[in-house]
Amino acid sequence: MVYTPRSARRGTLLVGTVAVLGLLTACGNGKDVGDPPVTASGTAAPAQDGKSGSVSAPASAPAGTPSASASAPKTTGSTGAGTTPGTTRTATTAGGTRCHTSELGASVGRNDPGAGQENFPVVLTNKSGRTCTLRGYPGAAFVNGSGGQLGADPRREPGSPVSVTLGPGQSAWSGLTFSNPGVSGAKQATPAALLVTPPDERDPLRVTWAGGPVPVSGNASSVRLTVLGPGTGP
């Protein structure tokens, strides 16, 4: 048994009696005994999302702030380069709609040389059962047996494009001209084929090339094309 001095026992009894009286007084006055709530001024910090260093985004934007969709610029599409936004370039031309690659056949006519120049007609023929039109310049490129291009793209001779109406079986032609590389001294190569692309089309037609060497680089190596005209050559 632990001995407790008489003075210590009296102090403990006195403290207990005061605590009981205080509790009875609080219960008897009908009022809460808790501390009143304390309100702190300032802005609350964002709620943490449970990850170190990250915060939760607010549920909505503050009043008066435009939403992302409202502030994003609106754009209008266009079909065809050079058209005004919001407008559509039509393929319709005088005499019907334009001829598509799948409706045409390509060929290279007989050379008509002169004064060190080689001149070949590049012919496009309507092989479909409908009437269609061609207007402007065809695309052309010499390629080797592996399909790699030889030389630069041909330049366009100045001219005034006209719409050429082709019934089934009818043709239009463009002049393909270059300086003979044996005369001009340009670096030369012998192509395996000429790729011909109709105006406003992307898919080319492949024509076996039998016209001999062509200039691919160096002086006087330019290859030129004229606008399309009706027929198969001059």
Side-chain angles (χ1 to χ4, degrees), residues 43-63:
T43 303
Q48 296 289 333
D49 64 359
K51 298 179 181 179
S52 175
S54 61
V55 296
S56 300
S60 60

Side-chain angles (χ1 to χ4, degrees), residues 133-145:
T133 61
L134 292 172
R135 180 183 178 88
Y137 297 84
F142 292 112
V143 294
N144 58 25

